[in-house]
Amino acid sequence: FSYPQYQPQINMTILKGEKGERGERGMQGKFGKTGVAGSRGHTGPKGQKGSAGAPGERCKNHYAAFSVGRKKPLHSNDYYQTLIFDTEFVNLYDHFNMFTGKFYCYVPGIYYFSLNVHTWNQKETYLHIMRNGAEVVILYAQVSDRSIMQSQSVMLELREQDEVWVRLYKGERENAVFSDEYDTYITFSGHLIKYSGDP
C-alpha cells in the first residue's frame, strides 16, 4: 500500500518584493497626424467703446510764396512811398497783403526775394527792399537816355511777424519806375527756402 504524493502549490502574488528604482525615460514617439479643424465658435459679445485718445499735434503748412506785379508807373514825392501792387500772380495763403504792399512772415525761415523794374529814360531809379523799416538792399539805375529792365535779389532769414516790402526813395532826385496798363513791367516775388524748424 502506497500513500499518494502531495505537492504544495505556492501563490506567487503574495510573494511581492521591494519596489525597484525608476527606469530611464524612453525616447519620444512620433507625432501623430494633424487632426481635422473644429467648427468655428459663436461670435462673442461686443466689447465696450474705448476712451478717446490724446489730441494730435496741429498740422502746419511750412510753405510760403508770392509773386505780384504793378501796371502803373510811380514818380517820387517829398516822402517815401511803399510800392503798391495791383496784379496778383501767386499769393499762397495770402501772406502778401495787396492793400499795404507788404509781405508778412507767418512761417519763420530763410526766404528768397526778387524785384524787377523798368526804368524811366531821363530819370533816376532808386528803390530799396525793406525789412521792418530797415533798408536791406538797393535797386539803383542812373539817369539814361534809354529805359532798361533792372533787377535785384536777396535771401533773408525772417522771424514770425517780420515785414518785407519795396520802398521808392523820396523826391530829393527825380526818381521813377515805368509801367503801363498793357504790360506788367514791375514784379516782386518771394518764397520760403527753408523752414526754421527743419533740421
Side-chain angles (χ1 to χ4, degrees):
F1 180 79
S2 61
Y3 294 96
Q5 294 182 357
Y6 177 75
Q7 295 181 353
Q9 295 182 358
I10 301 174
N11 187 355
M12 299 299 295
T13 60
I14 64 174
L15 299 178
K16 185 176 182 181
E18 295 181 357
K19 185 177 180 179
E21 296 181 358
R22 184 175 181 177
E24 295 181 358
R25 185 175 182 176
M27 298 178 63
Q28 182 176 347
K30 296 181 179 180
F31 289 102
K33 294 182 178 181
T34 303
V36 179
S39 58
R40 186 174 182 177
H42 297 289
T43 303
K46 186 176 180 179
Q48 297 180 351
K49 185 177 180 179
S51 57
E57 295 183 0
R58 183 180 177 183
C59 181
K60 294 183 178 180
N61 294 318
H62 298 149
Y63 304 98
F66 75 92
S67 184
V68 293
R70 180 183 173 95
K71 290 181 176 290
K72 297 178 182 179
L74 185 64
H75 292 266
S76 61
N77 211 320
D78 56 354
Y79 51 87
Y80 294 113
Q81 297 180 76
T82 299
L83 211 60
I84 302 298
F85 298 87
D86 49 38
T87 303
E88 185 179 82
F89 299 112
V90 173
N91 193 3
L92 193 62
Y93 308 120
D94 293 325
H95 290 184
F96 187 90
N97 190 310
M98 296 294 290
F99 296 99
T100 64
K102 294 182 178 182
F103 170 76
Y104 296 91
C105 178
Y106 295 97
V107 183
I110 298 174
Y111 284 79
Y112 175 83
F113 295 96
S114 64
L115 172 64
N116 296 276
V117 303
H118 194 281
T119 65
W120 205 308
N121 56 329
Q122 301 300 330
K123 294 185 180 182
E124 197 174 38
T125 300
Y126 192 5
L127 305 101
H128 284 97
I129 294 179
M130 309 289 294
R131 176 177 59 183
N132 300 334
E135 301 168 353
V136 179
V137 291
I138 186 174
L139 188 155
Y140 179 77
Q142 292 180 334
V143 177
S144 174
D145 294 334
R146 296 187 306 158
S147 59
I148 60 172
M149 294 296 296
Q150 196 82 344
S151 65
Q152 178 63 283
S153 61
V154 65
M155 284 196 297
L156 296 175
E157 186 171 2
L158 300 183
R159 294 176 297 180
E160 196 168 349
Q161 301 303 321
D162 279 352
E163 302 173 4
V164 179
W165 74 96
V166 179
R167 188 190 71 182
L168 184 70
Y169 202 78
K170 59 185 178 180
E172 295 179 358
R173 307 174 180 87
E174 193 172 7
N175 179 22
V177 288
F178 175 81
S179 192
D180 61 35
E181 59 181 318
Y182 303 104
D183 293 300
T184 305
Y185 289 90
I186 305 169
T187 61
F188 183 41
S189 306
H191 64 274
L192 177 68
I193 297 175
K194 183 180 183 298
Y195 169 58
S196 62
D198 290 341

